[in-house]
Amino acid sequence: MCGIAGAYSWPDGGPLTDRLTKTLAHRGPDGSGRYDHGEVHLGHRRLSIVDLTETGAQPMVKDGLALTYNGELYNAPELRKELEAAGVRFRGTSDTEVLLEAWRKWGTDGLHRLRGMFAFGVFDERSGELVLVRDQLGIKPLFLVRRGKGVAFASELKALAAELGGSLTVDDTALVASLLYYWVPDGRCAFREAEKLPPGSWARFRPNGDVERGTFWSLRQVAEEGAAYEGEFDLNAVIEDSTRKHLIADVPVATFLSGGLDSSYLTALAARERPGISAYTIGFRAEDAKFEAMPDDLMYAKKVAAKFGVDLHEIEIAPQVLDLLPRMTYHLDEPIGDPAAINSYLICTAAREAGVKVMLSGMGADELFAGYRKHLANKIAVRYQRVPGLVRRPVESLVDRLPVATSKRGFRSVRFAKRFLSFAELPEETAFRRSYTMYDQAELAGLLNPDLAGAVDDVITEHADTYHDNTLSDFVNRMCLADSRLFLPGLNLAYTDRSSMAASTEVRTPFVDIEVVKAAFRIPGDKKIVKRQGKMALKEAALSILPAEIVHRPKGLFSAPLRAWMSRDLAPLVREVTNEGELVKAGFLRREALQKLVDEDASGQQDRSKHLWHILTLEYWYRGAVSARTP
């Protein structure tokens, strides 16, 4: 795992590459390098994981090819054997050299062979062409800015913004999207002149200024092929193989262990491969956990650790939120309003201080195997619509009057009920969108400057277009596909990469693996959600190694006690942003609508803590973006 940057046919490209690379130092504290050849400049910051010697240093230059690469190639041993059989001689043991030689032999035609997470730039000295590539599922980020015949690229947007900020314009539609979702979809970028290379794609830049783009992997196609699959397979064997491959490293590897199904499953598999492996879990201040009505995940994490001989480390999440908020906003690159990023950052920081560079995470299982409450809730909503209105209306009236919290504690069941009723009677795509986004269309428009009404329409339409862009007849797998194309790369993989790399730690996601994804979409929806149980196919697979009390426990939350923070630590900041924030001053947000959110949350009648947290992150991000444009 590393940080990459570079410039091609760009004025002052060498010094620019140096400055971009310096901004990425946290991604790779173990080494740095730069390659120059005419109009191309490649930079690299190294976090040494595999082949810790100089034979793994980057940019790697060999026989006319130069490579700067961020990621891990989990099938590197198999590819190495194949290449060696074809006559290739390797200098070291790094997966970087395997990737370089795979590119030499197959070029873009070999990209579908790669199993891992990666973003890289490769330059051919003979043709003068630079190609940028991003992995199949968007695990690793790659941002770029094009000007004339040239391009500048980096692993993080903040590097480009710091150097080119005076010429970058905030994309209002991307900010509107971030308010809807509390993150920026992977297909958009917070700055208008910048872009993210799409997952499973490449871009070739030629000396004459021509640009060619291609796709080497399609999640939609994988899902549709999975729906037509009629064979049998062992899901546990697929996940076990992925976990084993994700343990490849020449440094210590640990796991996240929340005590939930996904992290417990991976930790158990990893412990079987590496006895005594370390794991890290989080706990909260007792008063915060009580106020938020949070389940006792720590109890389950301790049970898993004891059963499988895992060395468990507990990290209490009682952070100085006022200090962490601006720091996390900076590291997250774009406005992301999920406080789970703080959890990841603090866990990775503790692990790094203990000498751990690599962590395994259960990220992705919920999206692929229908494990979120919204998946079950949307299925229930279809049945709810059949209930006579004479029965529904009194229930809805009662729930509307119930408070979500008192001054001493919150009521999760009431929050869930209010959330459910906000989308239960809507059409499928609209209901799915409302089940996990922050506002309905009218609420979002009412919060914003009226001039942004068109942007609201665009964002809503983009969601509908993505949701319907498939031929799946399976309702549950339509939701899983939409989540895997929107929610997973736009939020979960994005914050996991940025928050972990801020602590100079690599996080690997064995569920977000091309073979596991193929397996997931071969499973019909009625095997994923059975009666009122989500993620059943994964649970059945996990029973091969985990006890039933862990597999079938109530779903936990990798989140934070937001209501407690909002009512205590962050209350003064919320007032400041509402009355004198830059977003309000700029006319982007309406003060009256923002104040209404604050009042509803304070009264306990509605849970607006997540809305307000995201507005705080958006405010801090916007302040940074505005200051970057100031000479």
PDB file of all heavy atoms in Angstrom, residues 201-225:
ATOM      1  N   SER A 201     -11.336   0.221 -14.841  1.00  0.00           N
ATOM      2  CA  SER A 201     -11.089   0.921 -16.098  1.00  0.00           C
ATOM      3  C   SER A 201      -9.645   1.389 -16.205  1.00  0.00           C
ATOM      4  O   SER A 201      -8.894   1.366 -15.226  1.00  0.00           O
ATOM      5  CB  SER A 201     -12.028   2.122 -16.241  1.00  0.00           C
ATOM      6  OG  SER A 201     -11.623   3.192 -15.407  1.00  0.00           O
ATOM      7  N   TRP A 202      -9.265   1.822 -17.414  1.00  0.00           N
ATOM      8  CA  TRP A 202      -7.937   2.362 -17.668  1.00  0.00           C
ATOM      9  C   TRP A 202      -8.052   3.550 -18.607  1.00  0.00           C
ATOM     10  O   TRP A 202      -9.046   3.702 -19.329  1.00  0.00           O
ATOM     11  CB  TRP A 202      -7.006   1.299 -18.261  1.00  0.00           C
ATOM     12  CG  TRP A 202      -7.543   0.581 -19.476  1.00  0.00           C
ATOM     13  CD1 TRP A 202      -8.252  -0.591 -19.488  1.00  0.00           C
ATOM     14  CD2 TRP A 202      -7.426   0.994 -20.844  1.00  0.00           C
ATOM     15  NE1 TRP A 202      -8.578  -0.942 -20.768  1.00  0.00           N
ATOM     16  CE2 TRP A 202      -8.079   0.011 -21.630  1.00  0.00           C
ATOM     17  CE3 TRP A 202      -6.834   2.076 -21.482  1.00  0.00           C
ATOM     18  CZ2 TRP A 202      -8.169   0.091 -23.018  1.00  0.00           C
ATOM     19  CZ3 TRP A 202      -6.916   2.160 -22.874  1.00  0.00           C
ATOM     20  CH2 TRP A 202      -7.576   1.179 -23.625  1.00  0.00           C
ATOM     21  N   ALA A 203      -7.025   4.390 -18.589  1.00  0.00           N
ATOM     22  CA  ALA A 203      -6.951   5.546 -19.498  1.00  0.00           C
ATOM     23  C   ALA A 203      -5.523   5.626 -20.030  1.00  0.00           C
ATOM     24  O   ALA A 203      -4.569   5.610 -19.254  1.00  0.00           O
ATOM     25  CB  ALA A 203      -7.337   6.832 -18.779  1.00  0.00           C
ATOM     26  N   ARG A 204      -5.404   5.708 -21.362  1.00  0.00           N
ATOM     27  CA  ARG A 204      -4.094   5.763 -22.004  1.00  0.00           C
ATOM     28  C   ARG A 204      -3.870   7.172 -22.565  1.00  0.00           C
ATOM     29  O   ARG A 204      -4.696   7.678 -23.351  1.00  0.00           O
ATOM     30  CB  ARG A 204      -4.019   4.745 -23.141  1.00  0.00           C
ATOM     31  CG  ARG A 204      -2.631   4.615 -23.777  1.00  0.00           C
ATOM     32  CD  ARG A 204      -2.690   3.771 -25.059  1.00  0.00           C
ATOM     33  NE  ARG A 204      -3.368   2.502 -24.854  1.00  0.00           N
ATOM     34  CZ  ARG A 204      -2.790   1.390 -24.396  1.00  0.00           C
ATOM     35  NH1 ARG A 204      -1.489   1.408 -24.120  1.00  0.00           N
ATOM     36  NH2 ARG A 204      -3.489   0.281 -24.255  1.00  0.00           N
ATOM     37  N   PHE A 205      -2.763   7.793 -22.188  1.00  0.00           N
ATOM     38  CA  PHE A 205      -2.419   9.140 -22.628  1.00  0.00           C
ATOM     39  C   PHE A 205      -1.234   9.047 -23.594  1.00  0.00           C
ATOM     40  O   PHE A 205      -0.188   8.494 -23.259  1.00  0.00           O
ATOM     41  CB  PHE A 205      -2.079  10.025 -21.428  1.00  0.00           C
ATOM     42  CG  PHE A 205      -3.229  10.168 -20.464  1.00  0.00           C
ATOM     43  CD1 PHE A 205      -3.401   9.241 -19.438  1.00  0.00           C
ATOM     44  CD2 PHE A 205      -4.147  11.197 -20.592  1.00  0.00           C
ATOM     45  CE1 PHE A 205      -4.471   9.348 -18.554  1.00  0.00           C
ATOM     46  CE2 PHE A 205      -5.219  11.310 -19.715  1.00  0.00           C
ATOM     47  CZ  PHE A 205      -5.379  10.385 -18.701  1.00  0.00           C
ATOM     48  N   ARG A 206      -1.419   9.616 -24.803  1.00  0.00           N
ATOM     49  CA  ARG A 206      -0.397   9.539 -25.843  1.00  0.00           C
ATOM     50  C   ARG A 206       0.303  10.877 -26.020  1.00  0.00           C
ATOM     51  O   ARG A 206      -0.266  11.938 -25.692  1.00  0.00           O
ATOM     52  CB  ARG A 206      -1.037   9.099 -27.160  1.00  0.00           C
ATOM     53  CG  ARG A 206      -1.603   7.670 -27.117  1.00  0.00           C
ATOM     54  CD  ARG A 206      -1.986   7.185 -28.509  1.00  0.00           C
ATOM     55  NE  ARG A 206      -2.271   5.756 -28.505  1.00  0.00           N
ATOM     56  CZ  ARG A 206      -3.495   5.246 -28.394  1.00  0.00           C
ATOM     57  NH1 ARG A 206      -4.540   6.065 -28.277  1.00  0.00           N
ATOM     58  NH2 ARG A 206      -3.672   3.939 -28.412  1.00  0.00           N
ATOM     59  N   PRO A 207       1.522  10.858 -26.568  1.00  0.00           N
ATOM     60  CA  PRO A 207       2.292  12.100 -26.729  1.00  0.00           C
ATOM     61  C   PRO A 207       1.592  13.162 -27.572  1.00  0.00           C
ATOM     62  O   PRO A 207       1.810  14.356 -27.356  1.00  0.00           O
ATOM     63  CB  PRO A 207       3.585  11.631 -27.417  1.00  0.00           C
ATOM     64  CG  PRO A 207       3.713  10.195 -27.040  1.00  0.00           C
ATOM     65  CD  PRO A 207       2.319   9.673 -26.952  1.00  0.00           C
ATOM     66  N   ASN A 208       0.737  12.754 -28.513  1.00  0.00           N
ATOM     67  CA  ASN A 208       0.052  13.735 -29.364  1.00  0.00           C
ATOM     68  C   ASN A 208      -1.185  14.331 -28.708  1.00  0.00           C
ATOM     69  O   ASN A 208      -1.908  15.125 -29.323  1.00  0.00           O
ATOM     70  CB  ASN A 208      -0.321  13.109 -30.704  1.00  0.00           C
ATOM     71  CG  ASN A 208      -1.324  11.966 -30.559  1.00  0.00           C
ATOM     72  OD1 ASN A 208      -1.766  11.647 -29.452  1.00  0.00           O
ATOM     73  ND2 ASN A 208      -1.686  11.346 -31.682  1.00  0.00           N
ATOM     74  N   GLY A 209      -1.447  13.953 -27.455  1.00  0.00           N
ATOM     75  CA  GLY A 209      -2.597  14.490 -26.738  1.00  0.00           C
ATOM     76  C   GLY A 209      -3.833  13.620 -26.789  1.00  0.00           C
ATOM     77  O   GLY A 209      -4.814  13.888 -26.082  1.00  0.00           O
ATOM     78  N   ASP A 210      -3.829  12.571 -27.612  1.00  0.00           N
ATOM     79  CA  ASP A 210      -4.972  11.665 -27.666  1.00  0.00           C
ATOM     80  C   ASP A 210      -5.112  10.897 -26.362  1.00  0.00           C
ATOM     81  O   ASP A 210      -4.109  10.543 -25.713  1.00  0.00           O
ATOM     82  CB  ASP A 210      -4.830  10.668 -28.816  1.00  0.00           C
ATOM     83  CG  ASP A 210      -5.006  11.316 -30.188  1.00  0.00           C
ATOM     84  OD1 ASP A 210      -5.462  12.476 -30.223  1.00  0.00           O
ATOM     85  OD2 ASP A 210      -4.677  10.664 -31.200  1.00  0.00           O
ATOM     86  N   VAL A 211      -6.357  10.624 -25.983  1.00  0.00           N
ATOM     87  CA  VAL A 211      -6.647   9.838 -24.781  1.00  0.00           C
ATOM     88  C   VAL A 211      -7.587   8.705 -25.167  1.00  0.00           C
ATOM     89  O   VAL A 211      -8.618   8.928 -25.794  1.00  0.00           O
ATOM     90  CB  VAL A 211      -7.284  10.697 -23.671  1.00  0.00           C
ATOM     91  CG1 VAL A 211      -7.556   9.838 -22.430  1.00  0.00           C
ATOM     92  CG2 VAL A 211      -6.396  11.876 -23.308  1.00  0.00           C
ATOM     93  N   GLU A 212      -7.228   7.512 -24.816  1.00  0.00           N
ATOM     94  CA  GLU A 212      -8.063   6.332 -25.053  1.00  0.00           C
ATOM     95  C   GLU A 212      -8.478   5.754 -23.706  1.00  0.00           C
ATOM     96  O   GLU A 212      -7.675   5.666 -22.785  1.00  0.00           O
ATOM     97  CB  GLU A 212      -7.284   5.285 -25.849  1.00  0.00           C
ATOM     98  CG  GLU A 212      -8.062   4.011 -26.126  1.00  0.00           C
ATOM     99  CD  GLU A 212      -7.200   2.918 -26.750  1.00  0.00           C
ATOM    100  OE1 GLU A 212      -5.974   3.138 -26.901  1.00  0.00           O
ATOM    101  OE2 GLU A 212      -7.745   1.835 -27.052  1.00  0.00           O
ATOM    102  N   ARG A 213      -9.729   5.382 -23.588  1.00  0.00           N
ATOM    103  CA  ARG A 213     -10.225   4.815 -22.335  1.00  0.00           C
ATOM    104  C   ARG A 213     -10.828   3.443 -22.593  1.00  0.00           C
ATOM    105  O   ARG A 213     -11.364   3.179 -23.673  1.00  0.00           O
ATOM    106  CB  ARG A 213     -11.269   5.734 -21.688  1.00  0.00           C
ATOM    107  CG  ARG A 213     -10.695   7.066 -21.189  1.00  0.00           C
ATOM    108  CD  ARG A 213     -11.790   7.946 -20.611  1.00  0.00           C
ATOM    109  NE  ARG A 213     -11.286   9.219 -20.161  1.00  0.00           N
ATOM    110  CZ  ARG A 213     -10.976   9.518 -18.894  1.00  0.00           C
ATOM    111  NH1 ARG A 213     -11.115   8.596 -17.956  1.00  0.00           N
ATOM    112  NH2 ARG A 213     -10.533  10.718 -18.561  1.00  0.00           N
ATOM    113  N   GLY A 214     -10.758   2.576 -21.588  1.00  0.00           N
ATOM    114  CA  GLY A 214     -11.327   1.250 -21.718  1.00  0.00           C
ATOM    115  C   GLY A 214     -11.768   0.697 -20.376  1.00  0.00           C
ATOM    116  O   GLY A 214     -11.356   1.175 -19.318  1.00  0.00           O
ATOM    117  N   THR A 215     -12.630  -0.320 -20.421  1.00  0.00           N
ATOM    118  CA  THR A 215     -13.115  -1.009 -19.223  1.00  0.00           C
ATOM    119  C   THR A 215     -12.702  -2.465 -19.303  1.00  0.00           C
ATOM    120  O   THR A 215     -12.867  -3.102 -20.348  1.00  0.00           O
ATOM    121  CB  THR A 215     -14.653  -0.908 -19.121  1.00  0.00           C
ATOM    122  OG1 THR A 215     -15.021   0.476 -19.026  1.00  0.00           O
ATOM    123  CG2 THR A 215     -15.179  -1.651 -17.918  1.00  0.00           C
ATOM    124  N   PHE A 216     -12.146  -2.999 -18.231  1.00  0.00           N
ATOM    125  CA  PHE A 216     -11.723  -4.394 -18.242  1.00  0.00           C
ATOM    126  C   PHE A 216     -12.536  -5.272 -17.302  1.00  0.00           C
ATOM    127  O   PHE A 216     -12.326  -6.494 -17.249  1.00  0.00           O
ATOM    128  CB  PHE A 216     -10.225  -4.510 -17.908  1.00  0.00           C
ATOM    129  CG  PHE A 216      -9.851  -4.070 -16.513  1.00  0.00           C
ATOM    130  CD1 PHE A 216      -9.793  -4.975 -15.474  1.00  0.00           C
ATOM    131  CD2 PHE A 216      -9.527  -2.742 -16.248  1.00  0.00           C
ATOM    132  CE1 PHE A 216      -9.432  -4.585 -14.196  1.00  0.00           C
ATOM    133  CE2 PHE A 216      -9.153  -2.335 -14.976  1.00  0.00           C
ATOM    134  CZ  PHE A 216      -9.107  -3.259 -13.943  1.00  0.00           C
ATOM    135  N   TRP A 217     -13.483  -4.694 -16.569  1.00  0.00           N
ATOM    136  CA  TRP A 217     -14.293  -5.482 -15.633  1.00  0.00           C
ATOM    137  C   TRP A 217     -15.588  -4.730 -15.363  1.00  0.00           C
ATOM    138  O   TRP A 217     -15.564  -3.513 -15.141  1.00  0.00           O
ATOM    139  CB  TRP A 217     -13.529  -5.688 -14.325  1.00  0.00           C
ATOM    140  CG  TRP A 217     -13.928  -6.886 -13.528  1.00  0.00           C
ATOM    141  CD1 TRP A 217     -13.511  -8.170 -13.699  1.00  0.00           C
ATOM    142  CD2 TRP A 217     -14.812  -6.916 -12.386  1.00  0.00           C
ATOM    143  NE1 TRP A 217     -14.059  -8.998 -12.752  1.00  0.00           N
ATOM    144  CE2 TRP A 217     -14.864  -8.256 -11.936  1.00  0.00           C
ATOM    145  CE3 TRP A 217     -15.562  -5.946 -11.722  1.00  0.00           C
ATOM    146  CZ2 TRP A 217     -15.634  -8.641 -10.840  1.00  0.00           C
ATOM    147  CZ3 TRP A 217     -16.327  -6.326 -10.634  1.00  0.00           C
ATOM    148  CH2 TRP A 217     -16.355  -7.668 -10.198  1.00  0.00           C
ATOM    149  N   SER A 218     -16.715  -5.426 -15.396  1.00  0.00           N
ATOM    150  CA  SER A 218     -18.019  -4.799 -15.196  1.00  0.00           C
ATOM    151  C   SER A 218     -18.766  -5.504 -14.079  1.00  0.00           C
ATOM    152  O   SER A 218     -19.083  -6.701 -14.175  1.00  0.00           O
ATOM    153  CB  SER A 218     -18.840  -4.863 -16.488  1.00  0.00           C
ATOM    154  OG  SER A 218     -20.211  -4.573 -16.240  1.00  0.00           O
ATOM    155  N   LEU A 219     -19.065  -4.797 -13.020  1.00  0.00           N
ATOM    156  CA  LEU A 219     -19.817  -5.358 -11.901  1.00  0.00           C
ATOM    157  C   LEU A 219     -21.222  -5.750 -12.354  1.00  0.00           C
ATOM    158  O   LEU A 219     -21.753  -6.794 -11.949  1.00  0.00           O
ATOM    159  CB  LEU A 219     -19.884  -4.342 -10.754  1.00  0.00           C
ATOM    160  CG  LEU A 219     -20.518  -4.795  -9.447  1.00  0.00           C
ATOM    161  CD1 LEU A 219     -19.837  -6.040  -8.898  1.00  0.00           C
ATOM    162  CD2 LEU A 219     -20.466  -3.680  -8.418  1.00  0.00           C
ATOM    163  N   ARG A 220     -21.824  -4.923 -13.192  1.00  0.00           N
ATOM    164  CA  ARG A 220     -23.164  -5.260 -13.702  1.00  0.00           C
ATOM    165  C   ARG A 220     -23.123  -6.592 -14.462  1.00  0.00           C
ATOM    166  O   ARG A 220     -23.980  -7.453 -14.274  1.00  0.00           O
ATOM    167  CB  ARG A 220     -23.667  -4.156 -14.633  1.00  0.00           C
ATOM    168  CG  ARG A 220     -25.058  -4.433 -15.201  1.00  0.00           C
ATOM    169  CD  ARG A 220     -25.443  -3.411 -16.252  1.00  0.00           C
ATOM    170  NE  ARG A 220     -24.609  -3.556 -17.443  1.00  0.00           N
ATOM    171  CZ  ARG A 220     -24.705  -2.782 -18.521  1.00  0.00           C
ATOM    172  NH1 ARG A 220     -25.578  -1.796 -18.541  1.00  0.00           N
ATOM    173  NH2 ARG A 220     -23.932  -2.987 -19.561  1.00  0.00           N
ATOM    174  N   GLN A 221     -22.112  -6.762 -15.310  1.00  0.00           N
ATOM    175  CA  GLN A 221     -21.999  -8.003 -16.083  1.00  0.00           C
ATOM    176  C   GLN A 221     -21.796  -9.202 -15.163  1.00  0.00           C
ATOM    177  O   GLN A 221     -22.386 -10.267 -15.374  1.00  0.00           O
ATOM    178  CB  GLN A 221     -20.837  -7.895 -17.067  1.00  0.00           C
ATOM    179  CG  GLN A 221     -20.665  -9.119 -17.963  1.00  0.00           C
ATOM    180  CD  GLN A 221     -19.517  -8.943 -18.949  1.00  0.00           C
ATOM    181  OE1 GLN A 221     -19.089  -7.835 -19.241  1.00  0.00           O
ATOM    182  NE2 GLN A 221     -19.011 -10.055 -19.455  1.00  0.00           N
ATOM    183  N   VAL A 222     -20.982  -9.041 -14.136  1.00  0.00           N
ATOM    184  CA  VAL A 222     -20.751 -10.128 -13.178  1.00  0.00           C
ATOM    185  C   VAL A 222     -22.054 -10.507 -12.482  1.00  0.00           C
ATOM    186  O   VAL A 222     -22.366 -11.694 -12.300  1.00  0.00           O
ATOM    187  CB  VAL A 222     -19.680  -9.711 -12.143  1.00  0.00           C
ATOM    188  CG1 VAL A 222     -19.654 -10.687 -10.965  1.00  0.00           C
ATOM    189  CG2 VAL A 222     -18.311  -9.650 -12.810  1.00  0.00           C
ATOM    190  N   ALA A 223     -22.839  -9.506 -12.096  1.00  0.00           N
ATOM    191  CA  ALA A 223     -24.114  -9.762 -11.422  1.00  0.00           C
ATOM    192  C   ALA A 223     -25.090 -10.480 -12.355  1.00  0.00           C
ATOM    193  O   ALA A 223     -25.786 -11.419 -11.942  1.00  0.00           O
ATOM    194  CB  ALA A 223     -24.715  -8.459 -10.919  1.00  0.00           C
ATOM    195  N   GLU A 224     -25.138 -10.054 -13.598  1.00  0.00           N
ATOM    196  CA  GLU A 224     -26.053 -10.675 -14.556  1.00  0.00           C
ATOM    197  C   GLU A 224     -25.619 -12.101 -14.897  1.00  0.00           C
ATOM    198  O   GLU A 224     -26.462 -12.997 -15.048  1.00  0.00           O
ATOM    199  CB  GLU A 224     -26.148  -9.807 -15.809  1.00  0.00           C
ATOM    200  CG  GLU A 224     -26.871  -8.489 -15.540  1.00  0.00           C
ATOM    201  CD  GLU A 224     -26.846  -7.524 -16.714  1.00  0.00           C
ATOM    202  OE1 GLU A 224     -26.072  -7.769 -17.671  1.00  0.00           O
ATOM    203  OE2 GLU A 224     -27.595  -6.539 -16.678  1.00  0.00           O
ATOM    204  N   GLU A 225     -24.317 -12.329 -14.999  1.00  0.00           N
ATOM    205  CA  GLU A 225     -23.825 -13.686 -15.229  1.00  0.00           C
ATOM    206  C   GLU A 225     -24.101 -14.564 -14.011  1.00  0.00           C
ATOM    207  O   GLU A 225     -24.430 -15.756 -14.151  1.00  0.00           O
ATOM    208  CB  GLU A 225     -22.330 -13.661 -15.529  1.00  0.00           C
ATOM    209  CG  GLU A 225     -21.990 -13.061 -16.896  1.00  0.00           C
ATOM    210  CD  GLU A 225     -20.497 -12.897 -17.101  1.00  0.00           C
ATOM    211  OE1 GLU A 225     -19.735 -13.093 -16.118  1.00  0.00           O
ATOM    212  OE2 GLU A 225     -20.078 -12.551 -18.221  1.00  0.00           O
TER     213      GLU A 225
END
